[in-house]
Amino acid sequence: QVQLVESGGGSVQAGGSLTLSCAFSGDTYSDHCLAWFRQAPGKDREGVASIYTSGAGTYYDDSVKGRFTISQDNAKNTVYLQMSSLKPEDTAMYYCAAVEGYCYLWSWSTAPMYRNWGQGTQVTVSS
């Protein structure tokens, strides 16, 4: 079981950048798949990127490839999502999620597989 706290959201103009942070605590000794999801009003929660805490393997949704980068600082138990070239369609509540074990290509973006969720941080991109 891990606890997750997101920060770093805000408002930015299109083309701008933001970096989100997800601090995790609790069972940090086990390897986890940590992922960023986002949910816009009236839409389903969608996977944005994931990282495996013991190997740094990453996956990205096609909509953010080349613009977003997920990374981790194990010393700080923090996962980051660097977002650049932001678009209005990136506007959403962004959530950090964790599940013990690997990130798999066929399931990392499936929200129900994650046991632990943060409270979310809002990102708003204006045109």
Side-chain angles (χ1 to χ4, degrees):
Q1 189 86 343
V2 296
Q3 292 76 48
L4 306 166
V5 179
E6 304 98 331
S7 61
S11 297
V12 65
Q13 288 193 324
S17 300
L18 279 174
T19 297
L20 307 183
S21 299
C22 173
F24 57 94
S25 59
D27 179 17
T28 59
Y29 296 101
S30 299
D31 298 329
H32 287 78
C33 177
L34 281 163
W36 286 98
F37 283 78
R38 65 186 180 187
Q39 188 167 22
K43 294 190 176 181
D44 292 335
R45 193 167 293 192
E46 62 177 2
V48 175
S50 70
I51 190 165
Y52 179 52
T53 59
S54 183
T58 59
Y59 294 112
Y60 294 92
D61 184 76
D62 286 345
S63 65
V64 305
K65 281 181 181 177
R67 301 190 298 123
F68 292 10
T69 301
I70 190 169
S71 62
Q72 60 182 336
D73 184 335
N74 286 337
K76 296 182 178 180
N77 289 336
T78 301
V79 171
Y80 303 97
L81 185 69
Q82 296 172 276
M83 306 184 295
S84 62
S85 301
L86 283 162
K87 305 174 182 180
E89 51 263 45
D90 294 317
T91 295
M93 185 71 79
Y94 282 71
Y95 298 91
C96 185
V99 62
E100 192 170 346
Y102 295 106
C103 300
Y104 295 100
L105 175 62
W106 55 87
S107 64
W108 73 267
S109 60
T110 303
M113 72 167 276
Y114 291 85
R115 292 186 58 192
N116 306 110
W117 291 84
Q119 81 288 349
T121 186
Q122 178 68 37
V123 172
T124 302
V125 184
S126 58
S127 57

Short mmCIF file of all heavy atoms in Angstrom, two decimals, residues 29-69:
data_model
loop_
_atom_site.label_atom_id
_atom_site.label_comp_id
_atom_site.label_asym_id
_atom_site.label_seq_id
_atom_site.Cartn_x
_atom_site.Cartn_y
_atom_site.Cartn_z
N TYR A 29 9.35 -0.16 -0.48
CA TYR A 29 10.36 -1.21 -0.67
C TYR A 29 9.99 -2.16 -1.80
O TYR A 29 10.85 -2.76 -2.42
CB TYR A 29 10.55 -1.99 0.62
CG TYR A 29 11.08 -1.16 1.74
CD1 TYR A 29 10.24 -0.67 2.73
CD2 TYR A 29 12.44 -0.85 1.79
CE1 TYR A 29 10.75 0.10 3.75
CE2 TYR A 29 12.95 -0.08 2.82
CZ TYR A 29 12.09 0.39 3.79
OH TYR A 29 12.58 1.16 4.81
N SER A 30 8.71 -2.24 -2.11
CA SER A 30 8.28 -3.09 -3.20
C SER A 30 8.34 -2.31 -4.50
O SER A 30 8.18 -1.10 -4.52
CB SER A 30 6.85 -3.58 -2.96
OG SER A 30 6.76 -4.33 -1.78
N ASP A 31 8.57 -3.03 -5.58
CA ASP A 31 8.56 -2.39 -6.89
C ASP A 31 7.13 -2.13 -7.33
O ASP A 31 6.24 -2.96 -7.13
CB ASP A 31 9.28 -3.27 -7.91
CG ASP A 31 10.74 -3.47 -7.54
OD1 ASP A 31 11.32 -2.55 -6.94
OD2 ASP A 31 11.27 -4.55 -7.84
N HIS A 32 6.93 -0.98 -7.93
CA HIS A 32 5.59 -0.58 -8.35
C HIS A 32 5.59 -0.06 -9.77
O HIS A 32 6.61 0.46 -10.27
CB HIS A 32 5.05 0.53 -7.45
CG HIS A 32 4.65 0.08 -6.09
ND1 HIS A 32 5.55 -0.17 -5.07
CD2 HIS A 32 3.42 -0.20 -5.56
CE1 HIS A 32 4.91 -0.55 -4.00
NE2 HIS A 32 3.62 -0.59 -4.26
N CYS A 33 4.45 -0.18 -10.39
CA CYS A 33 4.17 0.55 -11.62
C CYS A 33 3.47 1.84 -11.18
O CYS A 33 2.42 1.79 -10.54
CB CYS A 33 3.28 -0.27 -12.54
SG CYS A 33 2.81 0.59 -14.05
N LEU A 34 4.07 2.97 -11.51
CA LEU A 34 3.48 4.26 -11.20
C LEU A 34 3.05 4.92 -12.50
O LEU A 34 3.82 4.93 -13.47
CB LEU A 34 4.48 5.15 -10.47
CG LEU A 34 4.64 4.83 -8.99
CD1 LEU A 34 5.91 5.43 -8.44
CD2 LEU A 34 3.45 5.34 -8.21
N ALA A 35 1.86 5.46 -12.52
CA ALA A 35 1.32 6.03 -13.75
C ALA A 35 0.65 7.36 -13.49
O ALA A 35 0.16 7.62 -12.39
CB ALA A 35 0.33 5.06 -14.39
N TRP A 36 0.63 8.16 -14.52
CA TRP A 36 -0.16 9.39 -14.55
C TRP A 36 -1.38 9.14 -15.43
O TRP A 36 -1.26 8.64 -16.54
CB TRP A 36 0.65 10.56 -15.10
CG TRP A 36 1.66 11.08 -14.16
CD1 TRP A 36 3.00 10.78 -14.13
CD2 TRP A 36 1.44 12.02 -13.10
NE1 TRP A 36 3.61 11.47 -13.11
CE2 TRP A 36 2.68 12.24 -12.46
CE3 TRP A 36 0.31 12.70 -12.63
CZ2 TRP A 36 2.82 13.10 -11.38
CZ3 TRP A 36 0.46 13.56 -11.56
CH2 TRP A 36 1.71 13.76 -10.94
N PHE A 37 -2.53 9.50 -14.90
CA PHE A 37 -3.78 9.48 -15.64
C PHE A 37 -4.33 10.91 -15.67
O PHE A 37 -3.93 11.76 -14.88
CB PHE A 37 -4.80 8.57 -14.94
CG PHE A 37 -4.57 7.11 -15.16
CD1 PHE A 37 -3.58 6.43 -14.46
CD2 PHE A 37 -5.35 6.39 -16.07
CE1 PHE A 37 -3.36 5.07 -14.67
CE2 PHE A 37 -5.14 5.04 -16.27
CZ PHE A 37 -4.15 4.40 -15.58
N ARG A 38 -5.26 11.13 -16.56
CA ARG A 38 -5.95 12.41 -16.58
C ARG A 38 -7.42 12.19 -16.92
O ARG A 38 -7.79 11.21 -17.57
CB ARG A 38 -5.32 13.38 -17.58
CG ARG A 38 -5.40 12.95 -19.03
CD ARG A 38 -4.61 13.91 -19.90
NE ARG A 38 -4.65 13.56 -21.32
CZ ARG A 38 -3.95 14.16 -22.26
NH1 ARG A 38 -3.13 15.16 -21.94
NH2 ARG A 38 -4.05 13.78 -23.52
N GLN A 39 -8.23 13.11 -16.44
CA GLN A 39 -9.66 13.03 -16.70
C GLN A 39 -10.21 14.42 -16.92
O GLN A 39 -10.13 15.27 -16.03
CB GLN A 39 -10.39 12.34 -15.55
CG GLN A 39 -11.84 12.06 -15.84
CD GLN A 39 -12.45 11.10 -14.82
OE1 GLN A 39 -11.96 10.95 -13.71
NE2 GLN A 39 -13.53 10.44 -15.21
N ALA A 40 -10.74 14.63 -18.11
CA ALA A 40 -11.40 15.89 -18.43
C ALA A 40 -12.89 15.74 -18.14
O ALA A 40 -13.42 14.62 -18.13
CB ALA A 40 -11.17 16.23 -19.90
N PRO A 41 -13.59 16.86 -17.91
CA PRO A 41 -15.02 16.78 -17.61
C PRO A 41 -15.78 16.03 -18.70
O PRO A 41 -15.60 16.30 -19.90
CB PRO A 41 -15.44 18.25 -17.54
CG PRO A 41 -14.20 18.97 -17.15
CD PRO A 41 -13.07 18.23 -17.81
N GLY A 42 -16.58 15.06 -18.29
CA GLY A 42 -17.39 14.32 -19.23
C GLY A 42 -16.66 13.24 -20.00
O GLY A 42 -17.24 12.60 -20.88
N LYS A 43 -15.40 13.02 -19.67
CA LYS A 43 -14.62 12.01 -20.38
C LYS A 43 -14.11 10.95 -19.40
O LYS A 43 -14.06 11.16 -18.20
CB LYS A 43 -13.44 12.66 -21.11
CG LYS A 43 -13.85 13.60 -22.23
CD LYS A 43 -12.66 14.02 -23.06
CE LYS A 43 -13.07 14.88 -24.22
NZ LYS A 43 -11.92 15.28 -25.06
N ASP A 44 -13.74 9.81 -19.97
CA ASP A 44 -13.18 8.74 -19.16
C ASP A 44 -11.76 9.09 -18.71
O ASP A 44 -11.06 9.89 -19.35
CB ASP A 44 -13.13 7.44 -19.96
CG ASP A 44 -14.51 6.88 -20.25
OD1 ASP A 44 -15.45 7.21 -19.48
OD2 ASP A 44 -14.64 6.14 -21.24
N ARG A 45 -11.34 8.47 -17.63
CA ARG A 45 -9.97 8.64 -17.17
C ARG A 45 -9.04 7.89 -18.14
O ARG A 45 -9.30 6.73 -18.48
CB ARG A 45 -9.82 8.08 -15.76
CG ARG A 45 -8.55 8.46 -15.05
CD ARG A 45 -8.62 8.14 -13.57
NE ARG A 45 -9.61 8.97 -12.89
CZ ARG A 45 -9.71 9.06 -11.56
NH1 ARG A 45 -8.87 8.37 -10.79
NH2 ARG A 45 -10.64 9.82 -11.01
N GLU A 46 -7.99 8.55 -18.59
CA GLU A 46 -7.10 7.93 -19.56
C GLU A 46 -5.66 7.94 -19.07
O GLU A 46 -5.22 8.89 -18.41
CB GLU A 46 -7.19 8.65 -20.92
CG GLU A 46 -6.77 10.10 -20.89
CD GLU A 46 -6.80 10.74 -22.27
OE1 GLU A 46 -7.18 10.08 -23.24
OE2 GLU A 46 -6.41 11.93 -22.36
N GLY A 47 -4.95 6.88 -19.42
CA GLY A 47 -3.55 6.79 -19.05
C GLY A 47 -2.69 7.71 -19.89
O GLY A 47 -2.87 7.79 -21.11
N VAL A 48 -1.78 8.40 -19.26
CA VAL A 48 -0.90 9.34 -19.93
C VAL A 48 0.51 8.76 -20.07
O VAL A 48 1.09 8.76 -21.15
CB VAL A 48 -0.83 10.68 -19.16
CG1 VAL A 48 0.17 11.62 -19.80
CG2 VAL A 48 -2.22 11.31 -19.10
N ALA A 49 1.05 8.25 -18.97
CA ALA A 49 2.41 7.70 -18.98
C ALA A 49 2.59 6.83 -17.74
O ALA A 49 1.90 7.01 -16.74
CB ALA A 49 3.46 8.80 -19.00
N SER A 50 3.52 5.89 -17.85
CA SER A 50 3.81 5.04 -16.69
C SER A 50 5.30 4.78 -16.62
O SER A 50 6.03 4.89 -17.62
CB SER A 50 3.05 3.72 -16.76
OG SER A 50 3.56 2.90 -17.80
N ILE A 51 5.74 4.41 -15.40
CA ILE A 51 7.14 4.09 -15.18
C ILE A 51 7.23 2.99 -14.13
O ILE A 51 6.45 2.96 -13.17
CB ILE A 51 7.93 5.35 -14.74
CG1 ILE A 51 9.43 5.08 -14.73
CG2 ILE A 51 7.46 5.86 -13.38
CD1 ILE A 51 10.26 6.36 -14.66
N TYR A 52 8.17 2.07 -14.32
CA TYR A 52 8.39 0.99 -13.37
C TYR A 52 9.50 1.44 -12.42
O TYR A 52 10.58 1.82 -12.87
CB TYR A 52 8.79 -0.28 -14.11
CG TYR A 52 9.09 -1.46 -13.24
CD1 TYR A 52 8.17 -1.88 -12.28
CD2 TYR A 52 10.28 -2.17 -13.38
CE1 TYR A 52 8.45 -2.97 -11.48
CE2 TYR A 52 10.55 -3.27 -12.59
CZ TYR A 52 9.63 -3.67 -11.64
OH TYR A 52 9.89 -4.75 -10.85
N THR A 53 9.22 1.41 -11.12
CA THR A 53 10.14 2.04 -10.17
C THR A 53 11.48 1.33 -10.07
O THR A 53 12.45 1.93 -9.61
CB THR A 53 9.51 2.08 -8.77
OG1 THR A 53 9.21 0.75 -8.35
CG2 THR A 53 8.26 2.93 -8.75
N SER A 54 11.57 0.10 -10.51
CA SER A 54 12.84 -0.61 -10.42
C SER A 54 13.39 -0.96 -11.79
O SER A 54 13.73 -2.09 -12.06
CB SER A 54 12.68 -1.89 -9.60
OG SER A 54 13.92 -2.56 -9.44
N GLY A 55 13.49 -0.01 -12.63
CA GLY A 55 14.01 -0.28 -13.96
C GLY A 55 13.79 0.87 -14.92
O GLY A 55 14.40 0.92 -15.96
N ALA A 56 12.89 1.78 -14.54
CA ALA A 56 12.67 3.00 -15.32
C ALA A 56 12.09 2.74 -16.70
O ALA A 56 12.16 3.61 -17.55
CB ALA A 56 13.96 3.83 -15.44
N GLY A 57 11.55 1.54 -16.95
CA GLY A 57 10.85 1.33 -18.22
C GLY A 57 9.62 2.22 -18.26
O GLY A 57 8.91 2.35 -17.26
N THR A 58 9.38 2.85 -19.41
CA THR A 58 8.28 3.80 -19.52
C THR A 58 7.36 3.48 -20.68
O THR A 58 7.78 2.89 -21.69
CB THR A 58 8.83 5.23 -19.69
OG1 THR A 58 9.64 5.28 -20.87
CG2 THR A 58 9.66 5.66 -18.49
N TYR A 59 6.11 3.90 -20.53
CA TYR A 59 5.13 3.85 -21.60
C TYR A 59 4.43 5.20 -21.67
O TYR A 59 4.27 5.87 -20.66
CB TYR A 59 4.09 2.75 -21.35
CG TYR A 59 4.64 1.35 -21.40
CD1 TYR A 59 4.71 0.57 -20.24
CD2 TYR A 59 5.11 0.79 -22.58
CE1 TYR A 59 5.21 -0.72 -20.27
CE2 TYR A 59 5.61 -0.50 -22.63
CZ TYR A 59 5.67 -1.24 -21.47
OH TYR A 59 6.17 -2.52 -21.51
N TYR A 60 3.99 5.55 -22.89
CA TYR A 60 3.29 6.80 -23.11
C TYR A 60 2.08 6.58 -23.99
O TYR A 60 2.11 5.75 -24.91
CB TYR A 60 4.20 7.83 -23.79
CG TYR A 60 5.37 8.28 -22.96
CD1 TYR A 60 6.60 7.64 -23.05
CD2 TYR A 60 5.25 9.36 -22.10
CE1 TYR A 60 7.68 8.04 -22.28
CE2 TYR A 60 6.33 9.79 -21.33
CZ TYR A 60 7.54 9.12 -21.43
OH TYR A 60 8.61 9.54 -20.67
N ASP A 61 1.05 7.37 -23.74
CA ASP A 61 -0.05 7.42 -24.67
C ASP A 61 0.41 8.15 -25.93
O ASP A 61 1.22 9.08 -25.85
CB ASP A 61 -1.24 8.14 -24.04
CG ASP A 61 -2.45 8.14 -24.94
OD1 ASP A 61 -3.10 7.08 -25.03
OD2 ASP A 61 -2.73 9.18 -25.55
N ASP A 62 -0.12 7.75 -27.07
CA ASP A 62 0.31 8.36 -28.33
C ASP A 62 0.08 9.87 -28.35
O ASP A 62 0.82 10.61 -29.00
CB ASP A 62 -0.43 7.73 -29.50
CG ASP A 62 0.07 6.33 -29.81
OD1 ASP A 62 1.16 5.95 -29.33
OD2 ASP A 62 -0.64 5.60 -30.54
N SER A 63 -0.93 10.34 -27.65
CA SER A 63 -1.28 11.76 -27.69
C SER A 63 -0.24 12.65 -27.00
O SER A 63 -0.25 13.86 -27.21
CB SER A 63 -2.65 11.98 -27.03
OG SER A 63 -2.59 11.68 -25.65
N VAL A 64 0.64 12.05 -26.20
CA VAL A 64 1.63 12.86 -25.47
C VAL A 64 3.06 12.51 -25.83
O VAL A 64 4.00 13.17 -25.34
CB VAL A 64 1.43 12.74 -23.95
CG1 VAL A 64 0.00 13.09 -23.56
CG2 VAL A 64 1.81 11.36 -23.44
N LYS A 65 3.26 11.51 -26.67
CA LYS A 65 4.63 11.13 -27.04
C LYS A 65 5.36 12.31 -27.67
O LYS A 65 4.82 13.01 -28.52
CB LYS A 65 4.59 9.95 -28.01
CG LYS A 65 4.36 8.61 -27.35
CD LYS A 65 4.37 7.48 -28.37
CE LYS A 65 4.12 6.13 -27.69
NZ LYS A 65 4.05 5.02 -28.67
N GLY A 66 6.59 12.51 -27.22
CA GLY A 66 7.40 13.60 -27.73
C GLY A 66 7.16 14.92 -27.03
O GLY A 66 7.92 15.88 -27.22
N ARG A 67 6.09 14.99 -26.20
CA ARG A 67 5.79 16.23 -25.48
C ARG A 67 5.92 16.05 -23.96
O ARG A 67 6.31 16.98 -23.26
CB ARG A 67 4.38 16.71 -25.80
CG ARG A 67 4.13 16.98 -27.27
CD ARG A 67 2.80 17.66 -27.49
NE ARG A 67 1.67 16.85 -27.05
CZ ARG A 67 0.78 17.23 -26.15
NH1 ARG A 67 0.87 18.42 -25.56
NH2 ARG A 67 -0.24 16.43 -25.83
N PHE A 68 5.59 14.88 -23.47
CA PHE A 68 5.62 14.59 -22.04
C PHE A 68 6.75 13.61 -21.74
O PHE A 68 7.03 12.71 -22.54
CB PHE A 68 4.31 13.98 -21.56
CG PHE A 68 3.12 14.90 -21.58
CD1 PHE A 68 3.15 16.14 -22.19
CD2 PHE A 68 1.93 14.50 -20.96
CE1 PHE A 68 2.05 16.97 -22.21
CE2 PHE A 68 0.82 15.33 -20.95
CZ PHE A 68 0.88 16.56 -21.60
N THR A 69 7.35 13.76 -20.56
CA THR A 69 8.38 12.84 -20.11
C THR A 69 8.11 12.45 -18.66
O THR A 69 7.96 13.33 -17.81
CB THR A 69 9.77 13.46 -20.21
OG1 THR A 69 10.03 13.84 -21.57
CG2 THR A 69 10.84 12.47 -19.77
#
